[in-house]
Amino acid sequence: MTKVLGSVLMRKPKLRNRSVRLGPRFLRAFQFAAEKHSGQTRKASTIPYIAHLMGVASLVLEAGGDEDLAIAALLHDVVEDCGGAPMLKEVRRRFGSRVAKVVDGCTDADTYPKAPWRERKENYIAHLKRADADTRLVSAADKLNNVRSIVSDYRAIGESVWSRFNGGREGTLWYYRTLRDEFLRHKRNRITRELELAVTDLMLLAEKSLES
């Protein structure tokens, strides 16, 4: 008993809040993302698309993600927007299987032409039900960054914001409401709590707009 107790006491606790060191791989991933998304902008804006990728990576790091997950955050759209399945192979070769798995898990279209919008989104939500914690963390960070941008633009330009989205007003609201519910099926974390608040803000804005 003493031997077992001593062994337990000798174990070092996991340091959940230890600092994350970002090395040359992260810098290479940033450059790779910047090059692949060069010339792309956020929907209906002049904001370089890399701003979104940086925002998602920041959220992942703030939530305790490690370098692999920060890299996956930077690259989470590179397959969908910059080359499909062959690009995923390149990501795996350059940055490893764990990063590639998360990037693949954040992709709702890797072939062209893409499937219809609603079909892709329903399939993605079904995929999230089976996704691992790494994928869910990066995906939730992506959705949080997106919802915050929609809320900010909604306050600035009103109902015209929906013209940017293939799902329109009702489809977009359905998608983020369903994503919120799916992420909240698991234990809440920093990102999913903020996502819940952001989606609530979006829904309230939409309701007020109908009333006015």
Side-chain angles (χ1 to χ4, degrees):
M1 179 68 177
T2 302
K3 184 176 181 180
V4 172
L5 179 60
S7 176
V8 171
L9 292 174
M10 287 293 289
R11 293 175 190 166
K12 294 182 178 179
K14 294 181 179 180
L15 301 178
R16 297 178 62 188
N17 296 320
R18 66 184 181 276
S19 61
V20 176
R21 299 187 64 179
L22 301 178
R25 285 177 70 242
F26 181 83
L27 296 178
R28 290 197 301 271
F30 181 86
Q31 183 175 11
F32 183 80
E35 290 174 353
K36 296 302 179 183
H37 291 279
S38 177
Q40 297 178 6
T41 59
R42 301 221 66 181
K43 290 181 183 293
S45 78
T46 58
I47 301 171
Y49 199 75
I50 191 68
H52 168 61
L53 307 178
M54 292 166 63
V56 177
S58 176
L59 288 169
V60 167
L61 288 169
E62 289 170 5
D66 58 19
E67 184 179 51
D68 273 349
L69 297 185
I71 290 172
L74 288 174
L75 304 180
H76 75 272
D77 275 334
V78 76
V79 171
E80 185 172 330
D81 295 341
C82 306
M87 180 60 67
L88 182 61
K89 293 182 179 179
E90 186 172 356
V91 169
R92 182 177 292 108
R93 179 177 63 82
R94 287 173 176 261
F95 303 104
S97 59
R98 185 180 177 217
V99 170
K101 182 179 180 181
V102 175
V103 171
D104 187 34
C106 291
T107 301
D108 71 16
D110 62 1
T111 58
Y112 297 91
K114 294 179 179 180
W117 181 86
R118 181 79 181 210
E119 178 183 338
R120 284 190 289 117
K121 300 311 179 185
E122 288 178 348
N123 289 339
Y124 186 72
I125 291 165
H127 154 74
L128 279 177
K129 296 180 184 298
R130 307 182 300 274
D132 61 22
D134 287 350
T135 298
R136 292 174 68 90
L137 181 70
V138 176
S139 178
D142 171 35
K143 307 316 176 191
L144 173 57
N145 186 269
N146 284 337
V147 175
R148 283 175 170 174
S149 293
I150 296 171
V151 168
S152 179
D153 291 345
Y154 203 170
R155 288 188 172 120
I157 65 174
E159 285 292 304
S160 63
V161 73
W162 303 119
S163 64
R164 303 175 179 180
F165 301 99
N166 291 331
R169 185 185 195 277
E170 295 308 315
T172 304
L173 291 173
W174 160 81
Y175 184 50
Y176 285 107
R177 187 169 57 242
T178 307
L179 284 167
R180 173 202 61 194
D181 294 345
E182 172 55 34
F183 284 119
L184 293 179
R185 286 197 313 110
H186 292 248
K187 183 179 179 181
R188 284 168 168 76
N189 57 43
R190 177 179 179 137
I191 291 176
T192 57
R193 286 193 297 268
E194 290 297 317
L195 178 61
E196 182 179 21
L197 293 172
V199 171
T200 298
D201 285 346
L202 180 60
M203 297 302 163
L204 289 174
L205 282 172
E207 289 176 8
K208 289 179 180 178
S209 179
L210 287 180
E211 294 170 357
S212 61

